Amino acid sequence: MTEPGIRGKTAIIGVGQSPYYKRGKSPDPAFVLTLRAILNACADAGIDPRAIDGFASFSMDRNDPLRMSAALGLRELRFNSMVWGGGGGGGSAAIAGAAAAVHGGLAETVVVFRGLAQGAMRFGGAPPAQYLGGNFAFMAAYGVISPAQQYAAKVIRFMHDHGVRQAALRAIALTSYAHAQNNPNAVMYGRPLDAETYDASRWIAEPFHLYDCCLESDGAAAVIITSAERARHLTERPAYILGAAQGAGYRTDAGSFNGPDFASSHFASLAPRLYAMAGVTPKDVDVVQSYENFTGGVLMSLVEHGFFTAEEANDFLTPDNLNAMGGKLPLNTSGGNIAEAYIHGMSLIVEAARQIRGQSPNQVRDAKVSMVTSGPMAAPVSNCILGAEETL
Amino acid sequence: MTKAATTYLPDALPVPASDGDGLQAPFWSGLEREELLIQRCRHCRTWVFAPEWICHQCHSFDLDWTAVEPTGVIYSWTRVWHPVTPAIAEHMPYLVGVIELPQAGNVRLIGNLLGDPAKAVEIGARVRGVFEHHPAAADNPARKAFTLLQWTPA
Ligand SMILES: [Zn+2]
């Protein structure tokens, strides 16, 4: 019997990152950061970078695979792909595409990467335009432009419908900061956050305080994907790709906030597909990296992935429950987009693989099933589950 | 000149622009005449918003711009504190509402909630539309007049 989907057919065999910097502080351009992340991932995997034969990224990445291919002297480029969508929702979808390409024999060694620097590619910045058409025509003149402004009303409605309190969002922010204190590569390493500071911080757009919002960073991150068969020969502890999904629900992105699932992270239709392909249930998941564009997106992502109901959110979302050291659901264990760095979520995928490979700065004991949710609210969204050898 | 007082937000934000294909043009010219027009499928009567060329229910291309009473219900909202551009930094915070129109298939419009920006906002509260006219810019021939639809308690 052939197994459906891509379960266990491919694996991440190496992860790499550049140094992470506050936005605009990188001494190197994005291309250099990206090359460094890729070379580090190759070193982690123990492969010659010239063996790479494919690239995958998402959301208008500016690092052209042809230029990288030439710069790295690749013997042959056999696959390159970029996921549509303007946000970080394509991160796990890039993993899915790379895994499918490898499983389907289109390429053998594919890098999934993201690199940005010098303040370019800021999702949080205002569009420079004086006129805006398309969906922006119905929002921009009313002051709804930045991601915080676009997504705040989704979270307000969700919190209203289910009685979720601000402390639930706060717990997500505090968790990222707590984990960053053990991660010397995190931008917020050595800068802990407490509840009082969170409460006193300014609003960006209600219900988002400053600390509910992701950082803006310079940096790059990359992972190397190859077949499960090759992975076993190349590395001691591959992070097998058990499943991945991308997309959106019925009319999710209908303009002027007309999606029926407006008050949502948009994972409701993806989560069952992901679990079915991976052959696991929420109870089996040992650790989650859940993309924080905003903490409210994490709240809805975790609910829609079945870790708790919306009505249980106030009780479940506490710093203790989310901590890597003994929490019920270790979350964003390297500091996430809020306190490690905002590499549009690619750093979360790196961390998810590190948990399986035993390389995390906040290693969850015996982590065997490691989940990523990418870019909540910014449809198309995507997710993936990585697993240790024992899960196959 | 006290222009800032006549509009909820200053004229420093991107102006609605048709994409050149004319899809949105009836909506914006309707607002200029103080008329709220929403698309409705002539074939299956489904309400369609944001504007589209095709009915998502029956795939008919025969959509009709239908005049709708500018009243609605607050579906969600946010209060924005951080200015997206320094040009509106003096006008913070401001209120944004997502308004559902029960009389038009519960389609949603985005607008500002007029009045004290510090006020409490209640999901489910009834609101009525206020047409906010922005004149053409004297110093910029490319910037034509346009009208926004804002919301005040019904
Ligand atoms: Zn129809």
Side-chain angles (χ1 to χ4, degrees):
Chain A
M1 194 188 109
T2 53
E3 280 194 328
I6 56 172
R7 185 182 200 280
K9 306 293 188 193
T10 62
I12 293 173
I13 55 166
V15 302
Q17 61 188 62
S18 73
Y20 295 153
Y21 305 93
K22 189 178 158 73
R23 168 173 62 85
K25 298 296 182 196
S26 169
D28 294 317
F31 192 64
V32 171
L33 298 176
T34 305
L35 291 172
R36 286 193 197 288
I38 291 172
L39 292 176
N40 288 339
C42 291
D44 185 42
I47 63 164
D48 179 350
R50 294 167 193 82
I52 294 167
D53 61 359
F55 291 104
S57 188
F58 54 98
S59 194
M60 302 171 285
D61 196 283
R62 292 181 177 184
N63 299 286
D64 176 4
L66 271 299
R67 183 181 170 196
M68 288 199 288
S69 183
L72 291 170
L74 302 195
R75 291 189 276 271
E76 188 186 15
L77 181 65
R78 301 206 287 173
F79 175 77
N80 72 90
S81 156
M82 188 157 61
V83 180
W84 267 338
S92 293
I95 297 287
V102 168
H103 179 46
L106 303 184
E108 197 166 68
T109 309
V110 178
V111 174
V112 181
F113 71 94
R114 183 72 173 170
L116 60 150
Q118 319 294 350
M121 287 304 291
R122 285 180 63 198
F123 289 161
Q130 204 184 344
Y131 309 90
L132 283 173
N135 278 338
F136 271 109
F138 300 106
M139 308 193 293
Y142 302 103
V144 181
I145 300 174
S146 72
Q149 295 161 359
Q150 290 183 51
Y151 301 141
K154 288 176 183 282
V155 180
I156 290 250
R157 177 74 200 205
F158 186 91
M159 293 172 79
H160 168 85
D161 284 348
H162 304 288
V164 181
R165 293 188 289 272
Q166 191 77 33
L169 304 190
R170 183 178 67 191
I172 294 164
L174 293 178
T175 296
S176 287
Y177 268 82
H179 288 150
Q181 303 319 307
N182 298 325
N183 178 4
N185 297 317
V187 171
M188 291 299 168
Y189 178 67
R191 297 177 62 183
L193 175 69
D194 58 32
E196 293 68 34
T197 308
Y198 171 96
D199 290 344
S201 68
R202 62 193 171 94
W203 292 111
I204 300 300
E206 295 176 36
F208 305 141
H209 282 277
L210 175 66
Y211 293 106
D212 291 301
C213 307
C214 62
L215 300 171
E216 291 191 341
S217 311
D218 292 351
V223 302
I224 314 255
I225 293 175
T226 194
S227 67
E229 201 177 3
R230 281 188 75 225
R232 280 182 200 104
H233 296 298
L234 288 168
T235 182
E236 213 165 283
R237 206 149 166 80
Y240 294 94
I241 296 162
L242 300 183
Q246 65 137 310
Y250 172 70
R251 281 176 57 74
T252 284
D253 228 21
S256 183
F257 293 177
N258 276 275
D261 59 346
F262 173 75
S264 159
S265 65
H266 307 317
F267 278 112
S269 66
L270 277 76
R273 276 196 274 139
L274 175 68
Y275 286 128
M277 184 184 290
V280 303
T281 68
K283 280 193 200 66
D284 302 318
V285 176
D286 296 311
V287 55
V288 179
Q289 312 302 322
S290 185
Y291 189 118
E292 330 100 295
N293 33 19
F294 306 98
T295 53
V298 177
L299 158 73
M300 298 189 294
S301 297
L302 296 179
V303 167
E304 287 165 20
H305 282 86
F307 293 109
F308 47 87
T309 67
E311 281 64 31
E312 293 165 342
N314 292 322
D315 293 332
F316 195 99
L317 291 172
T318 66
D320 282 348
N321 280 347
L322 303 178
N323 198 278
M325 299 306 136
K328 278 187 205 166
L329 185 67
L331 176 74
N332 297 338
T333 47
S334 62
N337 295 336
I338 283 183
E340 184 185 34
Y342 184 48
I343 316 300
H344 298 167
M346 196 63 218
S347 45
L348 300 175
I349 295 170
V350 164
E351 172 64 6
R354 282 195 298 238
Q355 284 287 0
I356 296 300
R357 289 169 59 71
Q359 303 165 325
S360 169
N362 291 284
Q363 185 62 46
V364 172
R365 195 193 301 192
D366 294 330
K368 292 187 177 58
V369 177
S370 178
M371 180 189 281
V372 182
T373 68
S374 300
M377 307 183 281
V381 296
S382 60
N383 52 16
C384 65
I385 294 178
L386 309 179
E389 184 87 40
E390 300 90 313
T391 63
L392 295 182
Chain B
M1 186 71 189
T2 55
K3 199 175 163 195
T6 65
T7 61
Y8 185 74
L9 290 170
D11 268 341
L13 292 166
V15 167
S18 283
D19 289 326
D21 59 4
L23 174 62
Q24 296 182 10
F27 176 80
W28 295 110
S29 57
L31 291 190
E32 283 190 64
R33 298 190 308 272
E34 305 208 343
E35 208 175 19
L36 173 58
L37 299 179
I38 303 290
Q39 282 179 307
R40 191 171 196 186
C41 177
R42 280 200 174 94
H43 182 69
C44 77
R45 311 303 291 155
T46 295
W47 293 93
V48 176
F49 199 79
E52 193 45 275
W53 293 110
I54 191 169
C55 167
H56 55 267
Q57 198 64 45
C58 75
H59 298 168
S60 167
F61 288 88
D62 193 10
L63 302 180
D64 188 26
W65 286 96
T66 306
V68 167
E69 190 70 23
T71 60
V73 174
I74 297 176
Y75 176 76
S76 193
W77 62 281
T78 181
R79 192 180 346 258
V80 177
W81 293 81
H82 181 72
V84 75
T85 159
I88 63 166
E90 302 300 310
H91 293 77
M92 310 306 289
Y94 58 88
L95 279 171
V96 173
V98 183
I99 311 302
E100 245 178 21
L101 274 51
Q103 69 278 26
N106 286 324
V107 299
R108 300 183 196 129
L109 300 174
I110 299 161
N112 297 119
L113 300 174
L114 301 180
D116 180 2
K119 69 181 175 185
V121 179
E122 193 195 333
I123 286 175
R126 298 197 57 82
V127 287
R128 69 178 166 80
V130 174
F131 294 92
E132 182 184 279
H133 300 290
H134 293 241
D139 53 350
N140 181 0
R143 187 158 174 136
K144 301 193 176 69
F146 64 98
T147 299
L148 299 179
L149 185 57
Q150 308 287 31
W151 302 90
T152 193

